[in-house]
Amino acid sequence: MAEPGLSFAGLLRQLRVEARLTQEELAEAAGLSPRSVSDLERGVNRSARKDTALLLADALGLAGPAQELFVAAARGKGPVVEALAAVRSAGLAERIGNLPLRVSSFIGRERELEQAAAALGQARLVTLTGPGGIGKTRLAVAVGEQLRDRFAAGVVFVPLAAVADPALVLADVARAVGAGLGGAGSPLQALAEWLGEDRWLLILDNLEQVVSAAGELGELLARCRGVTILATSRAVLGLAAEREYPVPPLPVPADADAASADELASSPAVALFVDRARAVRPGFALSEGNAAAVAEICRRLEGLPLAIELAAARTRLLDPAALLARLAASLDALGSGAVDLPERQRTLRATVEWSVGLLGDGERSLLETMAVFTGGWTIGAAAQVAALDEDRALELLEALARHSLVQLDPSSGSRCAMLETVRAFVAERLAARSDAAEVQRRHAEYYRDLAGQADRPLRGAGQGEWLERLEAEAGNLAAAVTWYLANDRVPLPHLFRILFLFWFLRDRQAEACPWVDQLLPAADSLDSQAQAELASTAAVMANEVGDDAAELAARRRLESLLAEIQDPLLHAVCLLAMAWASPITGDFDGALREVSASLEELRGQDEPFFTAQAAYTAAIMETALGRPDAALQHLREGRELADRYGYTWLSALSRVQLGTLAVGQGRLDQARELLDEALEVSLANRSTRGVTMCLAVFAQLAFAEGDPERAALLAGAAEGLRRRAGLRTWPALRQGETELAAQIRQALGDDQHGQAFTAGFALSQQEAVATIRDRPGDHTQPS
């Protein structure tokens, strides 16, 4: 919440964070230097000129009254608090959201749209229910579009069809809203910390297969009073706060024979058919000659939107009368489907089967093969898994797209997907094929090869691009790992060694740790290189989740294997993993020897990421041993590599450690500047761990400034955020935090220290960040 004394510098920082922009990104967008933006946010330049403010306003997407208020505030001629409110409602609310692009018209749902929107005004959890293909998702997106202005913090769409484990639902939601998971702790707490009491609309799509996550969703609503959830599911969630809205089928004509073409055209089901038919046959029009057949098609399909769209796609080749004849014959032959399915779902199943039955052999075979993918696929992946050349795969996929059975992903021109209803049906057909096992094997091999391609870029200059690519393929990578666990475990240690950087940098430890744990019992059956790869991954993952016993066990295995490791990079990484574990037992000298050896090996291998990481680790060990000059030398090396290659996470942590050294040497202004920069990067990257490390060193800074009560508050905030996110202080940093706590307690006394620490422990991330920024000099209006 904005305070009455908020300065323009504070306003700009707050808006940039809410817009998910780093200082560098905002500066580039505005055509300014990063230093100028940094100066404005630190209050150095207190006389932002009108043209500079206009550039910043444009970069933040502001226009109209919001822009005018922003510029006035920048020039010291207008109230900052009013500017913040106007900007949030008029500008940034549209930035924070990811509603899917509407690729076709929204027809026949005006009444449902009004009712569903009204339901959200009466309940904070509304579930749109109905069978697959009824149009729940499309209605939910339309509601989100209509209510966007009501939710100032954002409207966020979270697709959950590919999530099979209820325990991962909140992690996906957290990633969608930009909340840093910070490790393998509680996604619920990370999400609650991020959302706070701001007004959000979360659209959770396809919850039926993970309905047992409902309890955590209820807890989220209880903690975050500004959050509203609009869910789509084939079944209700069963929460007391839930309001169900069953999505009905589209109304169909009651008596097609007695109605004129104009009267039939007013039917929502008929209007949808005509609209989708025109998409594949531009000259299509409803006439007295075909209107009755179209109406009968819609009636036989019981107004199910997906069924109508699939049928309308056939008008490319068939007129409505011929289409009706084939539809009627096919449905009669298929019967009513499984007796335990809802009536309309039986009809939809029959409709999908009928539509698939009209495909050519090559099209049908490829469609069935595509069911092996989770979360979509690329053309190249389709070709390899289907054992086709890319030109043929592209030709067949285009044909399937014309049949409305495959869609192009609007967010990526080279990526395809299919509706879950269609996928579920063709997956059954794939399972019945004699080559199903071979298709699954080719799928797993493709994604193992993809990970192999990512290996070098993840450690070099292409890290950001490949992290995005692997994120898009996370579901397929998980399926590949699962296949190898069940069929061929030999390649997994190397695959884990590659993917651990992706898991670590994208907060996927909770997903990956169980896979590593499944493989560990069989470690003795592996060769020495595979054992070392597996043990190094296990050590890193245990370090992140704070499992000291598991990390020490992995360290002992690495120590016994070290002499047998021939791979130079693996040897250096194993030494680094051992160095991270050694401080658990207080052996900082040993840790420094191990990381120094690792760093020396890495410098000769052109491995910038691990070299930067080793340099950062060496700096921590040197600091713990009281050698600041040596630590500073290592930090400069690590920071230079991190900045050069765009390793934002390591760049932030290097600044944190530089800030620690600056505090220890009495350079408090420099320390604050470094920590401010690190905090901005950590917030922009949604890194809970980064924020907590900043808080811990801000506590040291406060103590050095002679404010032990503030130091206790910030130390408590750091520990509270860590605990709620399931994190622990890294072993190498625990000693320093313990010593600081003792000094603060001695200065304040037990009672006062306990009160301040407890107050800080209860702060949310947003409140803790606001506390950091609430410093003398931050509350004056710019002149």
Side-chain angles (χ1 to χ4, degrees), residues 617-638:
T617 303
I620 293 178
M621 303 309 173
E622 296 280 18
T623 301
L625 291 168
R627 294 196 279 263
D629 291 341
L632 183 60
Q633 183 178 350
H634 287 306
L635 283 172
R636 285 171 176 162
E637 178 183 9

mmCIF file of all heavy atoms in Angstrom, residues 617-638:
data_model
loop_
_atom_site.group_PDB
_atom_site.id
_atom_site.type_symbol
_atom_site.label_atom_id
_atom_site.label_comp_id
_atom_site.label_asym_id
_atom_site.label_seq_id
_atom_site.Cartn_x
_atom_site.Cartn_y
_atom_site.Cartn_z
ATOM 1 N N THR A 617 31.250 -18.989 -4.471
ATOM 2 C CA THR A 617 31.384 -19.887 -3.315
ATOM 3 C C THR A 617 32.703 -19.647 -2.588
ATOM 4 O O THR A 617 32.748 -19.611 -1.340
ATOM 5 C CB THR A 617 31.291 -21.350 -3.776
ATOM 6 O OG1 THR A 617 30.056 -21.549 -4.475
ATOM 7 C CG2 THR A 617 31.363 -22.296 -2.593
ATOM 8 N N ALA A 618 33.783 -19.462 -3.353
ATOM 9 C CA ALA A 618 35.085 -19.197 -2.727
ATOM 10 C C ALA A 618 35.050 -17.905 -1.918
ATOM 11 O O ALA A 618 35.638 -17.813 -0.826
ATOM 12 C CB ALA A 618 36.167 -19.114 -3.805
ATOM 13 N N ALA A 619 34.333 -16.902 -2.441
ATOM 14 C CA ALA A 619 34.227 -15.633 -1.714
ATOM 15 C C ALA A 619 33.511 -15.819 -0.381
ATOM 16 O O ALA A 619 33.896 -15.219 0.638
ATOM 17 C CB ALA A 619 33.488 -14.614 -2.573
ATOM 18 N N ILE A 620 32.477 -16.642 -0.361
ATOM 19 C CA ILE A 620 31.757 -16.904 0.892
ATOM 20 C C ILE A 620 32.693 -17.560 1.908
ATOM 21 O O ILE A 620 32.716 -17.193 3.093
ATOM 22 C CB ILE A 620 30.531 -17.798 0.631
ATOM 23 C CG1 ILE A 620 29.486 -17.049 -0.198
ATOM 24 C CG2 ILE A 620 29.908 -18.255 1.944
ATOM 25 C CD1 ILE A 620 28.267 -17.893 -0.534
ATOM 26 N N MET A 621 33.477 -18.551 1.442
ATOM 27 C CA MET A 621 34.377 -19.251 2.362
ATOM 28 C C MET A 621 35.472 -18.315 2.883
ATOM 29 O O MET A 621 35.816 -18.333 4.067
ATOM 30 C CB MET A 621 35.007 -20.455 1.655
ATOM 31 C CG MET A 621 34.006 -21.446 1.091
ATOM 32 S SD MET A 621 32.748 -21.981 2.277
ATOM 33 C CE MET A 621 31.658 -22.932 1.201
ATOM 34 N N GLU A 622 36.019 -17.470 1.986
ATOM 35 C CA GLU A 622 37.045 -16.524 2.427
ATOM 36 C C GLU A 622 36.470 -15.536 3.437
ATOM 37 O O GLU A 622 37.126 -15.184 4.433
ATOM 38 C CB GLU A 622 37.600 -15.756 1.217
ATOM 39 C CG GLU A 622 38.333 -16.618 0.199
ATOM 40 C CD GLU A 622 39.763 -16.945 0.604
ATOM 41 O OE1 GLU A 622 40.111 -16.803 1.799
ATOM 42 O OE2 GLU A 622 40.542 -17.352 -0.278
ATOM 43 N N THR A 623 35.246 -15.095 3.213
ATOM 44 C CA THR A 623 34.598 -14.178 4.161
ATOM 45 C C THR A 623 34.418 -14.842 5.516
ATOM 46 O O THR A 623 34.691 -14.234 6.562
ATOM 47 C CB THR A 623 33.231 -13.729 3.613
ATOM 48 O OG1 THR A 623 33.402 -13.093 2.355
ATOM 49 C CG2 THR A 623 32.547 -12.763 4.565
ATOM 50 N N ALA A 624 33.965 -16.087 5.508
ATOM 51 C CA ALA A 624 33.744 -16.810 6.767
ATOM 52 C C ALA A 624 35.058 -17.003 7.535
ATOM 53 O O ALA A 624 35.066 -17.050 8.772
ATOM 54 C CB ALA A 624 33.089 -18.158 6.483
ATOM 55 N N LEU A 625 36.171 -17.090 6.788
ATOM 56 C CA LEU A 625 37.479 -17.289 7.422
ATOM 57 C C LEU A 625 38.181 -15.973 7.729
ATOM 58 O O LEU A 625 39.354 -15.964 8.136
ATOM 59 C CB LEU A 625 38.360 -18.155 6.516
ATOM 60 C CG LEU A 625 37.903 -19.623 6.391
ATOM 61 C CD1 LEU A 625 38.635 -20.316 5.256
ATOM 62 C CD2 LEU A 625 38.130 -20.363 7.710
ATOM 63 N N GLY A 626 37.475 -14.840 7.499
ATOM 64 C CA GLY A 626 38.024 -13.542 7.868
ATOM 65 C C GLY A 626 39.052 -13.001 6.911
ATOM 66 O O GLY A 626 39.972 -12.273 7.334
ATOM 67 N N ARG A 627 38.930 -13.317 5.615
ATOM 68 C CA ARG A 627 39.892 -12.824 4.623
ATOM 69 C C ARG A 627 39.136 -12.007 3.569
ATOM 70 O O ARG A 627 38.894 -12.478 2.454
ATOM 71 C CB ARG A 627 40.644 -13.991 4.003
ATOM 72 C CG ARG A 627 41.546 -14.719 5.010
ATOM 73 C CD ARG A 627 42.564 -15.594 4.315
ATOM 74 N NE ARG A 627 41.997 -16.867 3.914
ATOM 75 C CZ ARG A 627 42.113 -17.996 4.621
ATOM 76 N NH1 ARG A 627 42.745 -17.973 5.789
ATOM 77 N NH2 ARG A 627 41.605 -19.119 4.173
ATOM 78 N N PRO A 628 38.754 -10.782 3.892
ATOM 79 C CA PRO A 628 37.918 -9.986 2.979
ATOM 80 C C PRO A 628 38.591 -9.630 1.658
ATOM 81 O O PRO A 628 37.929 -9.536 0.626
ATOM 82 C CB PRO A 628 37.590 -8.728 3.794
ATOM 83 C CG PRO A 628 38.658 -8.645 4.830
ATOM 84 C CD PRO A 628 39.033 -10.054 5.157
ATOM 85 N N ASP A 629 39.913 -9.401 1.659
ATOM 86 C CA ASP A 629 40.571 -9.022 0.409
ATOM 87 C C ASP A 629 40.507 -10.160 -0.612
ATOM 88 O O ASP A 629 40.235 -9.934 -1.800
ATOM 89 C CB ASP A 629 42.028 -8.638 0.674
ATOM 90 C CG ASP A 629 42.138 -7.329 1.455
ATOM 91 O OD1 ASP A 629 41.152 -6.564 1.457
ATOM 92 O OD2 ASP A 629 43.200 -7.089 2.062
ATOM 93 N N ALA A 630 40.765 -11.366 -0.135
ATOM 94 C CA ALA A 630 40.678 -12.520 -1.036
ATOM 95 C C ALA A 630 39.239 -12.724 -1.494
ATOM 96 O O ALA A 630 38.979 -13.057 -2.657
ATOM 97 C CB ALA A 630 41.196 -13.772 -0.335
ATOM 98 N N ALA A 631 38.280 -12.518 -0.590
ATOM 99 C CA ALA A 631 36.869 -12.655 -0.956
ATOM 100 C C ALA A 631 36.488 -11.651 -2.037
ATOM 101 O O ALA A 631 35.781 -11.976 -3.001
ATOM 102 C CB ALA A 631 35.990 -12.459 0.281
ATOM 103 N N LEU A 632 36.960 -10.422 -1.879
ATOM 104 C CA LEU A 632 36.639 -9.377 -2.857
ATOM 105 C C LEU A 632 37.181 -9.731 -4.233
ATOM 106 O O LEU A 632 36.510 -9.519 -5.256
ATOM 107 C CB LEU A 632 37.222 -8.043 -2.386
ATOM 108 C CG LEU A 632 36.910 -6.828 -3.269
ATOM 109 C CD1 LEU A 632 35.398 -6.608 -3.363
ATOM 110 C CD2 LEU A 632 37.588 -5.588 -2.711
ATOM 111 N N GLN A 633 38.353 -10.294 -4.291
ATOM 112 C CA GLN A 633 38.937 -10.688 -5.575
ATOM 113 C C GLN A 633 38.069 -11.749 -6.257
ATOM 114 O O GLN A 633 37.792 -11.664 -7.462
ATOM 115 C CB GLN A 633 40.356 -11.222 -5.349
ATOM 116 C CG GLN A 633 41.084 -11.598 -6.632
ATOM 117 C CD GLN A 633 42.515 -12.068 -6.365
ATOM 118 O OE1 GLN A 633 43.023 -11.944 -5.244
ATOM 119 N NE2 GLN A 633 43.159 -12.599 -7.372
ATOM 120 N N HIS A 634 37.620 -12.724 -5.494
ATOM 121 C CA HIS A 634 36.757 -13.765 -6.069
ATOM 122 C C HIS A 634 35.419 -13.184 -6.514
ATOM 123 O O HIS A 634 34.873 -13.555 -7.570
ATOM 124 C CB HIS A 634 36.516 -14.870 -5.040
ATOM 125 C CG HIS A 634 37.706 -15.749 -4.807
ATOM 126 N ND1 HIS A 634 38.369 -16.395 -5.820
ATOM 127 C CD2 HIS A 634 38.351 -16.091 -3.644
ATOM 128 C CE1 HIS A 634 39.372 -17.104 -5.319
ATOM 129 N NE2 HIS A 634 39.377 -16.944 -4.001
ATOM 130 N N LEU A 635 34.867 -12.280 -5.729
ATOM 131 C CA LEU A 635 33.570 -11.705 -6.069
ATOM 132 C C LEU A 635 33.630 -10.883 -7.345
ATOM 133 O O LEU A 635 32.703 -10.892 -8.150
ATOM 134 C CB LEU A 635 33.052 -10.843 -4.914
ATOM 135 C CG LEU A 635 32.464 -11.617 -3.742
ATOM 136 C CD1 LEU A 635 32.158 -10.677 -2.594
ATOM 137 C CD2 LEU A 635 31.194 -12.349 -4.174
ATOM 138 N N ARG A 636 34.720 -10.178 -7.526
ATOM 139 C CA ARG A 636 34.861 -9.405 -8.756
ATOM 140 C C ARG A 636 34.888 -10.327 -9.971
ATOM 141 O O ARG A 636 34.295 -10.029 -11.010
ATOM 142 C CB ARG A 636 36.129 -8.555 -8.692
ATOM 143 C CG ARG A 636 35.976 -7.341 -7.763
ATOM 144 C CD ARG A 636 37.300 -6.639 -7.554
ATOM 145 N NE ARG A 636 37.134 -5.435 -6.747
ATOM 146 C CZ ARG A 636 38.124 -4.821 -6.123
ATOM 147 N NH1 ARG A 636 39.373 -5.315 -6.193
ATOM 148 N NH2 ARG A 636 37.891 -3.731 -5.408
ATOM 149 N N GLU A 637 35.573 -11.450 -9.840
ATOM 150 C CA GLU A 637 35.621 -12.412 -10.940
ATOM 151 C C GLU A 637 34.224 -12.982 -11.229
ATOM 152 O O GLU A 637 33.784 -13.033 -12.375
ATOM 153 C CB GLU A 637 36.588 -13.551 -10.606
ATOM 154 C CG GLU A 637 36.647 -14.623 -11.687
ATOM 155 C CD GLU A 637 37.553 -15.787 -11.310
ATOM 156 O OE1 GLU A 637 38.007 -15.847 -10.135
ATOM 157 O OE2 GLU A 637 37.812 -16.641 -12.180
ATOM 158 N N GLY A 638 33.538 -13.384 -10.157
ATOM 159 C CA GLY A 638 32.204 -13.966 -10.340
ATOM 160 C C GLY A 638 31.210 -12.968 -10.889
ATOM 161 O O GLY A 638 30.404 -13.294 -11.781
#
